[in-house]
Amino acid sequence: MKHQKSCGCFACEHGLEAFHKMKEENLKKTGFITIPYVSGCEKYPNNSNVVTEGFQETWGHKDLQVCFPSLSWERIHDIFWVIANLVKDGNKFQAGKFYDNIIQNYEVQFVNARQNGRDVLRLLICDPNGKYDTPMYQAQFTMLDDKE
């Protein structure tokens, strides 16, 4: 069953059983997976939602979320890997703090959010001037709880 007619997610293309098998294999191998939601993102800023699963179970750290459409999910996945390696080295990230060791020459911060009923840290992307002045950047601070 497809989420929407145009849904091209792994679960819709290959079935839920194949999705769960792939998820378990990747969790064992890497400690987390990245899930780019390609449809049904109306509950998230900018109709964009890329999240991790496995940080909590593997490293006792909140999973991550990015709701920023100008970055490809592959680039977001690369950023998640940087954070995963920092977490493996003992770093703990928190909402409300600024970090300059995730994206080179770029300061980022996190806010607490919820995704599918679980607590996550949403990584906020600012403009090149370090601001959140335009609607796409400001939207990241909205829709922090995904309740219907």
Side-chain angles (χ1 to χ4, degrees), residues 21-135:
K21 181 179 179 187
M22 178 272 306
K23 177 181 168 182
E24 290 306 314
E25 288 172 358
N26 282 318
L27 284 172
K28 285 178 187 172
K29 188 164 92 175
T30 65
F32 78 101
I33 63 169
T34 299
I35 302 174
Y37 287 86
V38 295
S39 64
C41 293
E42 298 81 24
K43 296 188 299 185
Y44 302 101
N46 299 311
N47 292 319
S48 177
N49 185 28
V50 181
V51 297
T52 63
E53 286 189 19
F55 272 63
Q56 185 65 49
E57 297 80 5
T58 304
W59 303 297
H61 190 284
K62 284 185 181 178
D63 276 292
L64 308 172
Q65 177 186 52
V66 172
C67 297
F68 194 74
S70 291
L71 289 177
S72 70
W73 81 265
E74 293 91 351
R75 178 67 180 120
I76 293 169
H77 181 70
D78 291 344
I79 294 167
F80 288 164
W81 263 111
V82 170
I83 297 169
N85 287 324
L86 290 166
V87 169
K88 285 191 245 183
D89 288 342
N91 292 281
K92 294 285 184 186
F93 295 96
Q94 301 172 18
K97 294 183 78 176
F98 288 88
Y99 298 93
D100 62 3
N101 60 341
I102 296 172
I103 301 173
Q104 187 175 8
N105 300 319
Y106 209 79
E107 192 171 66
V108 298
Q109 67 174 313
F110 294 94
V111 294
N112 288 315
R114 291 187 58 77
Q115 192 271 332
N116 286 344
R118 62 196 181 104
D119 294 328
V120 296
L121 283 176
R122 181 180 296 165
L123 176 68
L124 303 177
I125 306 296
C126 61
D127 71 19
N129 299 315
K131 307 243 185 256
Y132 302 93
D133 290 339
T134 60

Side-chain angles (χ1 to χ4, degrees), residues 46 132-142:
N46 299 311
Y132 302 93
D133 290 339
T134 60
M136 181 173 62
Y137 294 98
Q138 292 170 352
Q140 298 174 97
F141 290 94
T142 67

